[in-house]
Amino acid sequence: MTLTIFYDGKCPLCIAEMRQLKAYDNGCKLNLVNIHEDDFNDQFPHIDVKKANRILHGQLDSGELLLGLDVTHRAWSLVGKHKWLTILRWPVIRIIADTVYLLFARYRNRISQLLMGKSNCASCLPDISHNKQANERKNHHEQIPSEKNTGEYN
């Protein structure tokens, strides 16, 4: 099973989480796609960029669309980490967690500013996408900015 995650490549917190997921994705179960890629609408016309910018979108191989914490939970489950996230999908807790997630998503740039010192991450591009379709066109894997030296690549 592969999960395609459509993430905000201008959000420092989003990029940090995608970096972590990519680092643990030894089985290549995740396809990370920046919704701000130039050819995003051509590759994924069924994903509304405005909606994907408001709430994290993911898509399974079956075509099933996942949103918000369902994407986060599935992604971390696929890489075998953060098993505690299952708690956030329990019926009563799910309602509260999803409400808190929507608030976080709405204010993620302000939260990024507080936690990381920047609210927008245009300088993080090229990003951590490993969009399989893009990689097939480029015939190589994209490099990710090093966490130690943000201006250099691994």
Side-chain angles (χ1 to χ4, degrees):
M1 173 190 312
T2 301
L3 171 65
T4 299
I5 301 174
F6 305 103
Y7 71 95
D8 177 2
K10 294 182 180 178
C11 165
L13 288 173
C14 304
I15 291 200
E17 184 171 19
M18 294 305 117
R19 275 192 185 123
Q20 288 179 348
L21 282 166
K22 186 175 179 181
Y24 290 120
D25 187 19
N26 297 324
C28 296
K29 296 178 180 180
L30 302 177
N31 184 21
L32 307 178
V33 180
N34 179 351
I35 62 172
H36 302 292
E37 288 180 5
D38 291 337
D39 59 349
F40 181 84
N41 288 323
D42 294 333
Q43 288 187 43
F44 305 99
H46 61 289
I47 302 295
D48 183 316
V49 174
K50 287 182 182 180
K51 288 180 183 176
N53 203 28
R54 283 194 294 270
I55 184 169
L56 184 63
H57 281 47
Q59 185 173 2
L60 299 173
D61 287 343
S62 65
E64 179 184 357
L65 192 64
L66 303 176
L67 300 174
L69 288 176
D70 288 331
V71 178
T72 302
H73 174 255
R74 184 66 62 101
W76 285 107
S77 293
L78 286 171
V79 300
K81 300 290 181 186
H82 300 315
K83 296 178 196 266
W84 63 269
L85 287 170
T86 300
I87 295 169
L88 301 179
R89 303 294 78 206
W90 291 354
V92 175
I93 295 173
R94 176 186 196 106
I95 296 166
I96 297 164
D98 287 347
T99 300
V100 171
Y101 167 80
L102 289 173
L103 284 170
F104 167 82
R106 183 176 183 177
Y107 296 107
R108 68 185 178 277
N109 291 325
R110 292 180 187 167
I111 295 168
S112 291
Q113 180 67 45
L114 289 171
L115 297 177
M116 303 180 85
K118 55 185 171 181
S119 63
N120 196 298
C121 202
S123 64
C124 293
L125 302 176
D127 60 26
I128 50 76
S129 287
H130 58 258
N131 178 347
K132 292 174 185 171
Q133 293 172 343
N135 283 343
E136 288 173 4
R137 286 193 314 266
K138 295 177 185 175
N139 294 323
H140 71 279
H141 293 290
E142 290 191 17
Q143 297 174 325
I144 52 176
S146 167
E147 291 193 25
K148 295 176 188 169
N149 301 314
T150 57
E152 298 181 20
Y153 294 92
N154 292 334

